[in-house]
Amino acid sequence: MAVSPKQRHIAYRCPDCGEATVGLVGRFALSANMVRLKCSCSSESSLDMNISGDGKIRLSVPCLFCRQNHSYVVSEGLFFEKDRFFLSCPYSGMDIAFIGDEDNVSADLSRTADELSALMKNLEAEELSDIQPQDMTEGEILPDPAVYDTLRFVVKDLEAEGKLHCPCGNGPYDLRFTDGGMQVWCESCGATYDFKATSPTVAEEYLSLDSLTLK
Ligand SMILES: [Zn+2]
Ligand SMILES: [Zn+2]
Ligand SMILES: [Zn+2]
Protein backbone atom coordinates (compact mmCIF):
# COMPACT_ATOMS: atom_id res chain seq x y z
CA MET A 1 0.00 0.00 0.00
CA ALA A 2 1.28 3.45 -0.88
CA VAL A 3 2.05 5.81 1.93
CA SER A 4 -0.66 8.43 1.93
CA PRO A 5 0.31 12.06 1.83
CA LYS A 6 -0.14 13.80 5.11
CA GLN A 7 -1.07 17.13 3.59
CA ARG A 8 -3.69 18.33 1.17
CA HIS A 9 -4.37 21.61 -0.54
CA ILE A 10 -7.89 22.91 -0.21
CA ALA A 11 -9.44 25.99 -1.77
CA TYR A 12 -12.73 27.87 -1.86
CA ARG A 13 -13.96 31.13 -3.34
CA CYS A 14 -15.21 33.89 -1.07
CA PRO A 15 -18.91 34.72 -1.68
CA ASP A 16 -18.23 38.42 -1.07
CA CYS A 17 -15.09 39.28 -2.97
CA GLY A 18 -14.90 36.26 -5.27
CA GLU A 19 -11.23 35.69 -4.50
CA ALA A 20 -9.92 32.19 -3.98
CA THR A 21 -8.29 31.23 -0.71
CA VAL A 22 -5.98 28.23 -0.73
CA GLY A 23 -4.75 26.45 2.35
CA LEU A 24 -2.62 23.49 3.21
CA VAL A 25 -4.16 21.05 5.66
CA GLY A 26 -2.07 18.54 7.53
CA ARG A 27 -3.37 15.38 9.08
CA PHE A 28 -1.84 16.17 12.43
CA ALA A 29 -3.09 19.74 12.60
CA LEU A 30 -6.55 18.48 11.76
CA SER A 31 -6.50 15.81 14.45
CA ALA A 32 -5.57 18.39 17.04
CA ASN A 33 -7.82 21.30 16.16
CA MET A 34 -10.49 22.73 13.99
CA VAL A 35 -8.83 24.14 10.88
CA ARG A 36 -10.12 27.45 9.57
CA LEU A 37 -9.35 28.93 6.20
CA LYS A 38 -10.27 32.60 6.03
CA CYS A 39 -10.60 35.08 3.20
CA SER A 40 -8.45 38.17 3.69
CA CYS A 41 -11.26 40.57 2.72
CA SER A 42 -13.52 42.29 5.25
CA SER A 43 -16.34 39.75 4.88
CA GLU A 44 -14.52 37.22 7.07
CA SER A 45 -15.94 34.28 5.16
CA SER A 46 -14.31 31.07 6.27
CA LEU A 47 -14.11 27.40 5.47
CA ASP A 48 -14.02 25.35 8.66
CA MET A 49 -13.08 21.75 9.04
CA ASN A 50 -12.56 19.25 11.80
CA ILE A 51 -12.16 15.55 12.15
CA SER A 52 -14.20 13.33 14.42
CA GLY A 53 -13.07 10.22 16.25
CA ASP A 54 -14.59 7.95 13.63
CA GLY A 55 -12.25 9.29 10.92
CA LYS A 56 -14.83 11.47 9.24
CA ILE A 57 -13.93 15.00 8.24
CA ARG A 58 -16.64 17.60 8.57
CA LEU A 59 -16.40 20.70 6.44
CA SER A 60 -18.38 23.90 6.34
CA VAL A 61 -17.81 25.65 3.03
CA PRO A 62 -18.96 29.15 2.01
CA CYS A 63 -20.99 28.94 -1.20
CA LEU A 64 -20.48 31.61 -3.79
CA PHE A 65 -23.82 30.77 -5.38
CA CYS A 66 -26.08 30.63 -2.32
CA ARG A 67 -24.29 33.02 0.06
CA GLN A 68 -24.49 30.50 2.86
CA ASN A 69 -22.24 27.74 4.10
CA HIS A 70 -22.88 24.14 3.08
CA SER A 71 -21.71 21.28 5.23
CA TYR A 72 -20.11 18.06 4.05
CA VAL A 73 -18.82 14.87 5.57
CA VAL A 74 -15.87 13.20 3.86
CA SER A 75 -13.94 10.15 5.00
CA GLU A 76 -10.36 10.77 6.07
CA GLY A 77 -9.12 8.26 3.51
CA LEU A 78 -10.80 10.05 0.64
CA PHE A 79 -9.59 13.44 1.78
CA PHE A 80 -5.94 12.54 2.11
CA GLU A 81 -5.60 9.93 -0.59
CA LYS A 82 -7.45 11.28 -3.61
CA ASP A 83 -5.36 13.56 -5.80
CA ARG A 84 -8.32 15.59 -6.86
CA PHE A 85 -11.89 15.98 -5.77
CA PHE A 86 -14.56 18.61 -5.35
CA LEU A 87 -17.38 19.52 -3.07
CA SER A 88 -20.28 20.92 -5.01
CA CYS A 89 -23.19 23.14 -4.10
CA PRO A 90 -26.31 20.94 -3.74
CA TYR A 91 -28.49 23.61 -5.34
CA SER A 92 -26.48 24.97 -8.24
CA GLY A 93 -24.32 21.90 -8.84
CA MET A 94 -21.27 24.17 -9.10
CA ASP A 95 -18.02 23.11 -7.47
CA ILE A 96 -17.28 25.26 -4.43
CA ALA A 97 -14.32 23.53 -2.76
CA PHE A 98 -11.31 21.95 -4.39
CA ILE A 99 -9.19 19.40 -2.62
CA GLY A 100 -6.10 17.57 -3.78
CA ASP A 101 -2.50 18.15 -4.67
CA GLU A 102 -1.26 21.65 -5.42
CA ASP A 103 -1.24 21.35 -9.22
CA ASN A 104 -4.77 20.01 -9.45
CA VAL A 105 -6.16 22.62 -7.08
CA SER A 106 -4.62 25.52 -8.97
CA ALA A 107 -5.73 24.07 -12.32
CA ASP A 108 -9.27 23.72 -11.02
CA LEU A 109 -9.27 27.24 -9.66
CA SER A 110 -8.37 28.71 -13.03
CA ARG A 111 -10.86 26.44 -14.82
CA THR A 112 -13.68 27.53 -12.53
CA ALA A 113 -12.64 31.18 -12.72
CA ASP A 114 -13.26 30.94 -16.47
CA GLU A 115 -16.57 29.15 -15.91
CA LEU A 116 -17.62 31.82 -13.47
CA SER A 117 -16.89 34.69 -15.82
CA ALA A 118 -18.70 32.87 -18.63
CA LEU A 119 -21.69 32.35 -16.34
CA MET A 120 -21.77 36.00 -15.33
CA LYS A 121 -21.52 37.07 -18.95
CA ASN A 122 -24.42 34.80 -19.90
CA LEU A 123 -26.55 36.20 -17.13
CA GLU A 124 -25.42 39.72 -17.94
CA ALA A 125 -24.30 40.09 -14.36
CA GLU A 126 -21.88 42.85 -13.46
CA GLU A 127 -21.16 41.84 -9.92
CA LEU A 128 -21.14 38.61 -7.99
CA SER A 129 -24.17 39.71 -6.00
CA ASP A 130 -26.17 39.79 -9.24
CA ILE A 131 -26.03 36.02 -9.46
CA GLN A 132 -26.60 35.38 -5.77
CA PRO A 133 -29.98 35.04 -4.09
CA GLN A 134 -31.15 38.15 -2.28
CA ASP A 135 -32.91 38.13 1.07
CA MET A 136 -33.47 34.44 1.05
CA THR A 137 -33.86 32.83 4.42
CA GLU A 138 -32.48 29.38 4.90
CA GLY A 139 -35.04 26.65 4.33
CA GLU A 140 -37.39 28.99 2.53
CA ILE A 141 -37.06 27.50 -0.91
CA LEU A 142 -34.23 25.06 -0.49
CA PRO A 143 -34.54 21.39 0.43
CA ASP A 144 -32.80 20.36 3.63
CA PRO A 145 -29.02 20.42 3.07
CA ALA A 146 -28.50 17.84 5.85
CA VAL A 147 -30.31 15.27 3.69
CA TYR A 148 -27.90 15.98 0.87
CA ASP A 149 -24.86 15.84 3.16
CA THR A 150 -25.82 12.45 4.54
CA LEU A 151 -26.75 10.86 1.23
CA ARG A 152 -23.70 12.26 -0.47
CA PHE A 153 -21.60 10.64 2.20
CA VAL A 154 -23.42 7.32 1.71
CA VAL A 155 -22.79 7.40 -2.03
CA LYS A 156 -19.12 8.50 -1.81
CA ASP A 157 -18.39 5.93 0.85
CA LEU A 158 -19.95 3.04 -1.10
CA GLU A 159 -18.23 4.23 -4.25
CA ALA A 160 -14.83 4.36 -2.53
CA GLU A 161 -15.33 0.81 -1.31
CA GLY A 162 -16.41 -0.47 -4.73
CA LYS A 163 -19.90 -1.23 -3.46
CA LEU A 164 -21.81 1.07 -5.76
CA HIS A 165 -22.94 -0.76 -8.88
CA CYS A 166 -24.58 0.24 -12.16
CA PRO A 167 -24.97 -1.47 -15.56
CA CYS A 168 -21.87 0.19 -17.05
CA GLY A 169 -19.86 0.01 -13.86
CA ASN A 170 -17.98 3.19 -14.68
CA GLY A 171 -19.64 6.18 -13.10
CA PRO A 172 -18.99 8.97 -12.26
CA TYR A 173 -22.01 9.23 -10.00
CA ASP A 174 -23.83 12.36 -8.99
CA LEU A 175 -26.78 13.33 -6.81
CA ARG A 176 -29.81 15.49 -7.47
CA PHE A 177 -32.85 16.50 -5.48
CA THR A 178 -36.19 14.92 -6.36
CA ASP A 179 -39.70 15.45 -4.98
CA GLY A 180 -39.42 12.53 -2.58
CA GLY A 181 -35.80 12.93 -1.61
CA MET A 182 -32.71 12.50 -3.72
CA GLN A 183 -31.59 10.47 -6.66
CA VAL A 184 -28.13 9.11 -7.36
CA TRP A 185 -27.39 8.63 -11.04
CA CYS A 186 -24.60 7.39 -13.22
CA GLU A 187 -23.34 10.04 -15.61
CA SER A 188 -22.22 7.37 -18.10
CA CYS A 189 -25.19 5.02 -18.42
CA GLY A 190 -27.96 7.04 -16.80
CA ALA A 191 -28.97 4.35 -14.30
CA THR A 192 -30.57 5.73 -11.14
CA TYR A 193 -31.53 4.92 -7.58
CA ASP A 194 -34.05 6.92 -5.58
CA PHE A 195 -33.49 7.67 -1.93
CA LYS A 196 -36.82 8.31 -0.27
CA ALA A 197 -35.74 10.84 2.29
CA THR A 198 -37.15 14.23 3.02
CA SER A 199 -35.76 14.56 6.54
CA PRO A 200 -32.24 14.09 7.93
CA THR A 201 -33.42 11.29 10.25
CA VAL A 202 -34.74 9.23 7.37
CA ALA A 203 -31.61 9.95 5.33
CA GLU A 204 -29.44 8.64 8.16
CA GLU A 205 -31.09 5.22 7.89
CA TYR A 206 -29.28 4.80 4.57
CA LEU A 207 -25.95 4.96 6.41
CA SER A 208 -26.35 1.26 7.16
CA LEU A 209 -26.52 0.28 3.46
CA ASP A 210 -23.93 -2.36 2.55
CA SER A 211 -24.17 -1.91 -1.20
CA LEU A 212 -26.25 -0.14 -3.77
CA THR A 213 -27.26 -1.07 -7.30
CA LEU A 214 -28.43 1.56 -9.78
CA LYS A 215 -30.95 0.51 -12.42
ZN1 LIG B 1 -13.41 37.67 0.49
ZN1 LIG C 1 -24.72 26.66 -2.71
ZN1 LIG D 1 -23.18 3.42 -15.23
Side-chain angles (χ1 to χ4, degrees):
M1 206 181 115
V3 179
S4 15
K6 294 183 179 63
Q7 291 190 318
R8 274 294 174 234
H9 281 81
I10 178 165
Y12 81 98
R13 247 188 208 95
C14 173
D16 272 282
C17 67
E19 291 301 316
T21 299
V22 188
L24 191 60
V25 181
R27 195 172 233 151
F28 295 120
L30 195 56
S31 322
N33 281 304
M34 184 183 87
V35 171
R36 169 167 283 182
L37 209 64
K38 240 169 129 252
C39 181
S40 52
C41 80
S42 59
S43 77
E44 304 198 329
S45 76
S46 73
L47 179 156
D48 295 334
M49 52 191 299
N50 61 51
I51 190 162
S52 47
D54 54 2
K56 291 182 174 61
I57 297 176
R58 282 158 214 280
L59 301 104
S60 170
V61 184
C63 178
L64 185 73
F65 305 95
C66 302
R67 278 200 325 183
Q68 62 178 30
N69 279 42
H70 298 316
S71 45
Y72 302 89
V73 181
V74 177
S75 73
E76 190 184 349
L78 187 70
F79 188 88
F80 285 105
E81 279 150 38
K82 256 198 137 181
D83 290 334
R84 177 177 186 237
F85 79 99
F86 316 116
L87 299 174
S88 52
C89 164
Y91 309 114
S92 67
M94 306 291 280
D95 300 325
I96 59 168
F98 309 91
I99 301 157
D101 62 31
E102 190 170 12
D103 291 347
N104 281 324
V105 169
S106 56
D108 284 317
L109 280 175
S110 56
R111 169 181 62 85
T112 49
D114 294 345
E115 284 174 8
L116 189 60
S117 39
L119 176 75
M120 291 184 61
K121 213 171 149 208
N122 280 342
L123 296 173
E124 295 176 3
E126 279 166 20
E127 291 172 25
L128 264 183
S129 58
D130 293 340
I131 64 165
Q132 293 169 333
Q134 308 296 327
D135 304 322
M136 187 182 63
T137 59
E138 203 169 337
E140 192 172 18
I141 58 161
L142 304 177
D144 195 331
V147 172
Y148 175 84
D149 297 339
T150 305
L151 294 176
R152 185 177 190 284
F153 177 76
V154 168
V155 167
K156 292 289 160 190
D157 211 40
L158 289 171
E159 189 181 353
E161 290 178 18
K163 291 175 180 163
L164 189 63
H165 310 288
C166 72
C168 80
N170 296 327
Y173 305 99
D174 206 353
L175 282 162
R176 59 189 165 212
F177 281 105
T178 58
D179 282 345
M182 296 205 69
Q183 183 178 68
V184 51
W185 55 291
C186 170
E187 291 181 17
S188 303
C189 69
T192 59
Y193 178 89
D194 288 306
F195 292 108
K196 306 253 175 279
T198 46
S199 76
T201 330
V202 180
E204 278 168 21
E205 288 173 16
Y206 286 103
L207 287 168
S208 58
L209 272 186
D210 293 325
S211 70
L212 191 61
T213 303
L214 276 54
K215 286 183 184 138

